[in-house]
Amino acid sequence: MKIPTIAAILGLAALTSAEVFLHETFSDGEGWTKRWTPSTHRADLGTFEVSSGKWSVDTEKNAGLRTTEDYRFYATSTKFNKTFDNKDKEFVVQFDVKNEQNIDCGGSYVKIFSDKFEPTTFNGDSEYNIMFGPDICGTKAIVHAILQYKGKNYDLKKTVAAPTDVYTHTYTLSIKPDQTYQILVDGEEKAAGKLEEDWDFLPPKTIKDPEASKPADWVDEAEIDDPSDVKPEDWDSIPEFIPDPEATKPEDWDDDMDGEWEAPSITNPEYKGVWTPKRIPNPEYKGAWEHPEIDNPEYKLDDSIYHYTFDNLGFDLWQVKAGTIFNNILVTDDATEAKKLRDESLALAKEEVKAKEAYDEQEKAKLEAEKPEQPSSKETEEPIEIDLDDLSVESDTKPVEKKEEEVKEEVKEEVKETKPIKDEL
Ligand SMILES: *[C@@H]1O[C@H](CO)[C@@H](O)[C@H](O)[C@H]1NC(C)=O
């Protein structure tokens, strides 16, 4: 038969034609401004610039998209050259994040959209397929992995901790047609498994049989009184209280006046207490009753949960403290290409501690050099200017909480309960 042969060839062709749908390195000066469309949803959105930050290993390679204004929403996006339909293909999204500003509160995740996405009106309510990446606020520092299924957003049930240091970290999410996924931080697996198990897309496969209930004659008691154990005959002959043998009748006791003298009672040291029979295992005991499970009629297998069409990637962020730098954004069906680029990022990131130290030294030296020239106390006493209006406007709108509303109900609850997240960390 020729048909299987042709199918095999086509299959092979599909496997070998690995494609990159987005690879943004911000390495061509102002070129990125032609590829990225800022949202005009609101007038006060924060501005991005391309910068390698205050310190870097390589000013060219480390140049990335940087948030520049504190207390701002950010929204910008870029369109792929062609639609990525991941049917029967692996999907990989990967990007670098450097929170060199020592972030206290701010998102640094990406959202990936279908062709229904509208870049100019892009905002927190814009429907997305996937939201992936770190989100840090106070003690909460997690890597989100939210997937849209049939119009609803589902949060990963596992908690992936986000690094909170000032160095570059590489985040990778891959989803395979066999409906398995993997999340890497700096190439290390942080979560992996089956889509169906780690997100609540589908109702459970089995449920407790509503027809079944515990039989009335079910024996719950694991232990009973030993029927062969009998109370010793002399048990009750020992009284609980006895007259104190040490007590003596006072010298001045007058039987006529005071009545007949009786020694005060004390607790009998011989007293054995109330008799109870020995406990033995109940021969009738059937164990704890288990509610039998049946197949859930609501459950329907869906082997296309993993399947999307992707066209755009964007940043929709709230940042209290700006300065996050995004770099090397990749969307591909080729895990090998992702690993190659990730390894390049990781190699560069290894040099960052040294680069940061050199920068810190330089800053210190600069400060020392300035000191003797400006010994006046005026400079240091100058109050720090805080725009109170600006602060209060932003805090009134409670933007962080508003962010969470975009996500499923469960996510909202999880976020509010910061304790379990902390515990898992
Ligand atoms: C998209 O198209 C532009 C312009 O032809 C090209 O420079 C760029 O490399 C393409 N991007 C990808 C990821 O193929």
Side-chain angles (χ1 to χ4, degrees), residues 20-22 35 79-83 311:
V20 170
F21 296 89
L22 176 69
R35 297 186 294 272
K79 196 166 166 35
F80 304 171
N81 286 357
K82 64 177 270 195
T83 300
D311 272 277

Side-chain angles (χ1 to χ4, degrees), residues 274-309:
V274 177
W275 184 82
T276 52
K278 249 191 354 222
R279 301 280 290 171
I280 55 162
N282 186 355
E284 308 282 302
Y285 180 54
K286 294 191 186 170
W289 186 75
E290 267 177 45
H291 203 134
E293 300 250 321
I294 54 159
D295 287 345
N296 183 359
E298 308 278 305
Y299 174 83
K300 226 173 95 218
L301 176 86
D302 184 352
D303 57 11
S304 66
I305 299 172
Y306 81 98
H307 180 213
Y308 298 95
T309 55

Side-chain angles (χ1 to χ4, degrees), residues 86-89 91 175-180 195 302-308 310:
N86 69 326
K87 186 161 172 52
D88 301 326
K89 288 179 185 168
F91 161 85
I175 296 173
K176 287 185 180 166
D178 66 0
Q179 312 233 76
T180 60
L195 294 182
D302 184 352
D303 57 11
S304 66
I305 299 172
Y306 81 98
H307 180 213
Y308 298 95
F310 303 101

Side-chain angles (χ1 to χ4, degrees), residues 50 145 181 235 260 369:
V50 163
Y181 77 100
W235 190 276
E260 200 183 322

